[in-house]
Amino acid sequence: MSEIPGPGSRRGSVELQIDRVIVASLEKATVSVRCLRGPVRRGARFNRLSGSAQAIDLTLTQAVFFRHRVAALDTGLTAFVTLRGEGVQRLMSGTLASGWQVIEGANPLS
């Protein structure tokens, strides 16, 4: 199980910006993202959603970059990811007017 850093900790933290929610169900979503702080590895856990006080608990189960599954996303890359867990229903596509959501979390320990 991965540990999520506390609110003041930046060490080991990762961030993904939500561009577009492609497919969503109650516990799983396929999302187009941009990696703001990485590398973000498969198994990363996300516990914070920008603009929301409600907790989330999402795990990155798959990342696809240019039609290839990858083990990690480096900062600046855009890819499709699959997220599973509590809170996927709160993910929304971004627009210039509404802005973009950012999810924050941490990579698995190993």
Side-chain angles (χ1 to χ4, degrees):
M1 181 175 228
S2 64
E3 293 182 26
I4 307 243
S9 173
R10 301 284 286 181
R11 191 177 132 220
S13 63
V14 294
E15 289 184 349
L16 294 176
Q17 180 182 49
I18 307 297
D19 177 47
R20 189 169 50 134
V21 178
I22 310 298
V23 178
S25 65
L26 290 176
E27 293 187 14
K28 176 180 162 183
T30 299
V31 183
S32 170
V33 300
R34 179 176 175 85
C35 181
L36 298 181
R37 187 176 334 129
V40 178
R41 294 193 306 267
R42 193 173 334 121
R45 302 261 322 259
F46 297 90
N47 66 339
R48 187 166 186 274
L49 175 64
S50 64
S52 176
Q54 294 177 316
I56 61 171
D57 184 14
L58 301 175
T59 302
L60 189 145
T61 59
Q62 176 177 273
V64 178
F65 179 71
F66 282 101
R67 298 188 206 162
H68 297 282
R69 288 184 186 182
V70 294
L73 292 176
D74 288 326
T75 301
L77 294 182
T78 300
F80 293 103
V81 299
T82 301
L83 298 165
R84 288 185 175 272
E86 193 174 317
V88 292
Q89 64 275 16
R90 289 196 288 279
L91 300 178
M92 295 182 298
S93 296
T95 67
L96 191 56
S98 68
W100 288 266
Q101 293 178 317
V102 175
I103 56 175
E104 299 175 19
N107 281 315
L109 291 177
S110 83

